[in-house]
Amino acid sequence: IVQTQRNVRYAYWGLVFAQSFLEVQRQSLELAEESLRNNRTRVEVGTIAPIDIVEAESEVARNEESVIIAEADVDRAEDQLRILIFDPDVSDFWSIQLQPSDNPILQARTIDVNAAVRYALDHRTDLDTLDKNIQNTDTDIRFYHNQRLPDVNLQVNYSLSGVGGTEFLRGEGFLGPITGTEQTSFGSVLGDIFSNDFPNWTVGVTVAYPLGTSAAKANLQRARLERTQADVTRRSLEVRIAADVRNAGRNVATNLQRVDATESARQLAERRLEAEQRRLEVGLSTSFLVFQAQRDLGSARNRYLRAILDYTRSLVDFDAVQEVPLGGPF
């Protein structure tokens, strides 16, 4: 359940930020188209050479390609989320439109790594599975230990009997001639049983003791060895769990710092583009430098969004790693 929830949250935020990346590419395309219009105007008034129009058209085409790729990424992210949350048997499975309700903004959260480690050691499913295996091994140890003890069996049997039916009466001698018959009814048989006329009882005691090396001793030694190995495995697993949680917490902190750094870079890229545009207006810059500033701004915006996405997903991992071992998403 936790892994499924993690995969859905991964896919959801992947769609949110794919749409955000598409918006960034469209903004870059709008900047390039605005530069193309401005260059055409400047060529008409004779302030720049016609070659600058070709350069602006090339920049527009490059950004159009980026928009097309970003649109495909949105469709791909939408399909991944659709597969996880919808029934593929519905008729409009592939045509359902998904619109996330969350905005791609930073939602910073304070985490306590030490408390998370303690929680993971109490709730991780792989550790719980290992503990159940250890309990089974302890049961085997007790069983095989009992198998090594002397085996004493006391058997007491008590039974009642009665005879009925037709009895042949014979004359003298061995297998003499039949001289008549006598009938004994079923009621008479029951009377013999209830009156305890013909009781039978036996008592027996058997004692068995394994001599030398027995299968029980071998099984007991194997079970004890498995128990020792399980203890070592458990200690190693506890260390790995703590390391996994600490690493997930470290990723959260690192990605949060990345968000701050990339936000500053994005703001500086915006200021640089404004400065280059003003320099171009007074003839102190070139279209190439403006286009380069536009590309740098687009890259800075993408890195900023990527940092937010990585931070959001690292929070998802931090929550999941406290209950299950992390595998790759999807």
Side-chain angles (χ1 to χ4, degrees):
I1 293 174
V2 174
Q3 282 286 19
T4 300
Q5 183 188 47
R6 173 175 177 257
N7 291 342
V8 171
R9 294 173 69 185
Y10 254 67
Y12 177 82
W13 289 114
L15 176 58
V16 170
F17 285 94
Q19 293 177 345
S20 300
F21 291 142
L22 174 60
E23 182 62 27
V24 169
Q25 300 307 320
R26 287 173 174 170
Q27 291 175 356
S28 297
L29 176 60
E30 291 175 358
L31 288 175
E33 291 174 341
E34 182 182 359
S35 296
L36 176 59
R37 290 191 297 269
N38 293 337
N39 283 0
R40 285 173 177 169
T41 301
R42 293 188 180 95
V43 168
E44 291 175 358
V45 298
T47 57
I48 61 174
I51 190 61
D52 287 337
I53 294 180
V54 177
E55 187 176 4
E57 291 175 342
S58 175
E59 189 68 16
V60 169
R62 189 187 68 83
N63 283 281
E64 286 177 344
E65 178 190 10
S66 298
V67 169
I68 294 172
I69 294 175
E71 289 174 345
D73 290 338
V74 170
D75 293 338
R76 188 178 298 108
E78 188 173 318
D79 284 345
Q80 288 178 341
L81 182 59
R82 178 185 292 109
I83 291 172
L84 289 172
I85 64 177
F86 286 117
D87 182 2
D89 293 332
V90 299
S91 58
D92 56 346
F93 176 74
W94 292 110
S95 60
I96 297 175
Q97 298 296 318
L98 303 180
Q99 182 58 46
S101 59
D102 295 270
N103 295 322
I105 60 176
L106 177 65
Q107 298 177 348
R109 195 180 81 189
T110 302
I111 62 174
D112 187 342
V113 175
N114 293 329
V117 170
R118 292 191 297 269
Y119 182 88
L121 293 177
D122 292 334
H123 295 85
R124 273 281 289 254
T125 55
D126 49 348
L127 191 60
D128 183 62
T129 300
L130 181 58
D131 287 339
K132 286 181 170 55
N133 292 334
I134 291 177
Q135 292 176 5
N136 293 336
T137 303
D138 290 338
T139 302
D140 291 340
I141 291 176
R142 291 192 298 271
F143 173 76
Y144 292 129
H145 181 269
N146 289 336
Q147 293 296 102
R148 294 175 63 249
L149 300 177
D151 185 15
V152 179
N153 293 314
L154 173 63
Q155 295 179 343
V156 178
N157 296 317
Y158 186 85
S159 62
L160 301 173
S161 61
V163 179
T166 302
E167 179 185 3
F168 291 100
L169 302 178
R170 294 180 180 273
E172 296 180 356
F174 180 72
L175 296 178
I178 298 174
T179 60
T181 60
E182 182 177 346
Q183 295 290 332
T184 303
S185 66
F186 182 68
S188 178
V189 174
L190 293 178
D192 292 342
I193 292 176
F194 288 121
S195 61
N196 198 21
D197 291 337
F198 306 102
N200 295 311
W201 58 272
T202 60
V203 177
V205 178
T206 59
V207 179
Y209 185 80
L211 300 177
T213 302
S214 64
K217 289 183 178 180
N219 291 332
L220 177 60
Q221 292 300 324
R222 185 180 68 250
R224 287 174 174 171
L225 178 59
E226 292 175 353
R227 182 64 166 83
T228 302
Q229 293 174 339
D231 289 337
V232 175
T233 301
R234 194 184 195 285
R235 288 193 293 269
S236 299
L237 181 58
E238 288 177 347
V239 174
R240 290 199 301 271
I241 289 175
D244 289 345
V245 175
R246 289 174 58 83
N247 185 61
R250 189 178 301 111
N251 288 339
V252 171
T254 300
N255 290 326
L256 182 59
Q257 293 175 353
R258 284 179 54 207
V259 170
D260 295 336
T262 53
E263 183 180 17
S264 298
R266 177 180 60 85
Q267 294 174 353
L268 292 174
E270 291 174 350
R271 292 170 57 186
R272 180 194 169 200
L273 176 59
E274 294 175 357
E276 288 297 337
Q277 288 174 336
R278 288 194 298 267
R279 286 167 55 86
L280 179 64
E281 292 173 357
V282 296
L284 298 178
S285 184
T286 63
S287 297
F288 174 80
L289 294 177
V290 172
F291 293 144
Q292 185 63 48
Q294 290 177 357
R295 295 176 187 177
D296 292 342
L297 176 58
S299 298
R301 287 172 173 172
N302 285 333
R303 288 195 298 271
Y304 175 65
L305 289 175
R306 172 60 61 180
I308 297 179
L309 173 61
D310 291 342
Y311 174 75
T312 304
R313 284 182 167 177
S314 64
L315 288 176
V316 175
D317 288 343
F318 183 74
D319 293 336
V321 77
Q322 299 177 49
E323 299 189 50
V324 297
L326 292 184
F330 314 120

